[in-house]
């Protein structure tokens, strides 16, 4: 199977998101990023599709934040 693997380690996800493995672990443990535990050692894996859904959801949330909190250039207000 070519392309992206179906399941990613937390370190792989951290690389994709350009963040730390600890931050990804926190996302998983809070339930923000769906993941499964596999094997006797209970290693976390994130399905590639779930990661893409998470990224899309974060874009939607960011757009809503921007709409709810428009940017105001405080320097323009200071010039009088």
């Amino acid at each position: 199977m070519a392309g992206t693997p179906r399941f990613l380690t937390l370190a792989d996800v951290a690389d994709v998101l350009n963040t730390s493995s600890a931050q990804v672990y926190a996302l998983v443990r809070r339930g923000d990023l769906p993941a499964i535990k596999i094997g006797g050692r209970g290693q976390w894996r994130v399905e590639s599709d779930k990661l893409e859904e998470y990224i899309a959801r974060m874009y939607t949330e960011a757009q809503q934040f921007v709409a709810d909190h428009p940017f105001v250039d405080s320097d323009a207000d200071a010039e009088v």
Side-chain angles (χ1 to χ4, degrees):
M1 182 161 96
T4 304
R6 180 172 178 183
F7 289 97
L8 304 168
T9 65
L10 297 189
D12 293 336
V13 174
D15 286 343
V16 171
L17 296 177
N18 195 25
T19 191
S20 69
S21 293
Q23 179 63 37
V24 173
Y25 178 75
L27 291 171
V28 167
R29 293 290 287 141
R30 283 194 309 259
D32 295 335
L33 179 59
I36 61 172
K37 286 183 87 170
I38 61 166
R41 294 173 57 195
Q43 296 180 353
W44 289 102
R45 294 293 183 268
V46 175
E47 195 165 5
S48 297
D49 289 348
K50 297 297 182 187
L51 176 57
E52 292 305 320
E53 290 170 10
Y54 171 78
I55 292 169
R57 191 169 71 249
M58 291 302 100
Y59 271 112
T60 300
E61 288 182 17
Q63 289 172 339
Q64 187 61 51
F65 178 85
V66 168
D68 292 345
H69 305 89
F71 178 75
V72 177
D73 189 354
S74 60
D75 292 337
D77 295 339
E79 285 187 24
V80 178

